[in-house]
């Protein structure tokens, strides 16, 4: 690939469980990494609302609801897709850039088809 990622031993073991390296099946080690990543993104969503008024926070919560639901089920790809379909007037370009950097780092470690 075009990207080089520094991996921990656990990440290197989990990468063997990526579908493209595992005959189309996602292994348990990868699932564990995806669940942990979903919590990281969820935490970032929570932190993004800390300085907002209740009305602003509610609007952001509503806009992120579809992506958050996918995160709660451990569906990284769907969450990413839904997140990138949000309204830029509510989910600002700077927030999208920050969150997408997190997704891109994860995807560079654990390659997948995002089509």
């Amino acid at each position: 690939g075009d990207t080089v990622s520094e991996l921990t031993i656990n990440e290197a073991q989990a990468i063997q469980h990526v579908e493209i390296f595992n005959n189309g099946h996602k292994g348990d080690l990868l699932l564990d990494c995806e669940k942990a990543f979903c919590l990281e993104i969820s935490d970032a969503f929570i932190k993004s609302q800390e300085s907002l008024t209740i009305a602003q926070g509610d609007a952001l919560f509503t806009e992120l609801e579809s992506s958050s639901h996918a995160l709660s089920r451990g569906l990284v790809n769907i969450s990413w897709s839904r997140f990138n379909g949000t309204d830029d007037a509510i989910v600002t370009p700077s927030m999208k850039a920050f969150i997408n950097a997190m997704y891109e780092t994860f995807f560079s470690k654990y390659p997948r088809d995002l089509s």
Side-chain angles (χ1 to χ4, degrees), residues 14-27 30 111:
I15 205 165
Q16 297 173 43
H17 295 258
V18 172
E19 294 97 329
I20 62 174
F21 301 132
N22 199 26
N23 295 323
H25 301 285
K26 186 182 294 188
L30 178 61

Side-chain angles (χ1 to χ4, degrees), residues 7 27 29 31 34 37 39 68 72 111:
L7 303 173
L29 290 177
L31 285 174
E34 287 190 339
F37 177 71
L39 289 175
S68 292
S72 74

Side-chain angles (χ1 to χ4, degrees), residues 42-109:
S42 293
D43 287 350
F45 284 179
I46 292 167
K47 289 176 184 177
S48 68
Q49 296 181 6
E50 289 176 348
S51 64
L52 302 177
T53 66
I54 291 174
Q56 292 169 327
D58 188 52
L60 182 59
F61 177 81
T62 299
E63 190 65 23
L64 295 173
E65 189 171 14
S66 180
S67 181
S68 292
H69 179 66
L71 287 172
S72 74
R73 304 306 308 146
L75 303 172
V76 177
N77 298 6
I78 292 171
S79 172
W80 168 81
S81 176
R82 290 177 177 179
F83 176 74
N84 282 290
T86 55
D87 184 341
D88 284 351
I90 299 171
V91 180
T92 64
S94 62
M95 180 183 177
K96 278 192 178 175
F98 175 75
I99 298 293
N100 274 321
M102 293 174 70
Y103 279 112
E104 289 167 16
T105 298
F106 187 80
F107 294 153
S108 70
K109 288 181 182 181

Side-chain angles (χ1 to χ4, degrees), residues 5 11 85:
S5 298
E11 291 169 339

